Amino acid sequence: QVQLVESGGGLVQPGGSLRLSCAVSGSINSINAMGWYRQAPGKQRELVASITRGGSTNYADSAKGRFTISRDNTKNTLFLQMNSLKPEDTAVYYCNADLLIGAFYTFWGQGTQVTVSS
């Protein structure tokens, strides 16, 4: 059974940092693009950052200069380093991956809460 499990969320003060991880497990052939999304209360889920298998990255304007997405293809793990956090970054963060299991399918993690507050 394929699973994406996020970790690393929590409560942090404004200006602080967090590092999110997303571990992919299960019987898969390979992982294509991966990404981090977030959903704040009352808002739609939005893309934060994405990364191709080769390492090309894309960031939302709100994340540029503060967040860094990376991946370890040998461990099937995705990361999001978040610095200079702001209260408006408060949301549930979800990882997303396109997994090759015969054909490509998109999978989501269960989400991890990030709260930025003093």
Side-chain angles (χ1 to χ4, degrees):
Q1 183 177 358
V2 175
Q3 281 190 310
L4 278 65
V5 180
E6 299 104 333
S7 61
L11 173 64
V12 64
Q13 292 187 340
S17 299
L18 283 175
R19 188 187 195 215
L20 304 184
S21 300
C22 174
V24 180
S25 62
S27 182
I28 58 176
N29 299 116
S30 69
I31 304 174
N32 197 14
M34 304 181 79
W36 288 99
Y37 289 72
R38 68 186 183 187
Q39 187 167 19
K43 295 187 177 181
Q44 290 189 329
R45 190 173 298 188
E46 62 178 4
L47 174 69
V48 176
S50 63
I51 184 168
T52 67
R53 181 170 180 81
S56 296
T57 59
N58 178 55
Y59 293 91
D61 287 343
S62 59
K64 289 178 181 176
R66 300 187 300 127
F67 295 0
T68 302
I69 189 171
S70 61
R71 62 191 284 173
D72 184 339
N73 290 333
T74 66
K75 297 181 179 179
N76 291 344
T77 304
L78 177 70
F79 304 99
L80 184 68
Q81 178 67 44
M82 303 187 293
N83 299 327
S84 302
L85 283 162
K86 305 174 181 179
E88 51 263 43
D89 294 317
T90 295
V92 178
Y93 284 70
Y94 299 90
C95 73
N96 158 292
D98 292 334
L99 307 180
L100 179 60
I101 309 172
F104 275 108
Y105 298 92
T106 299
F107 285 81
W108 292 87
Q110 82 288 350
T112 186
Q113 177 70 46
V114 171
T115 302
V116 184
S117 175
S118 55

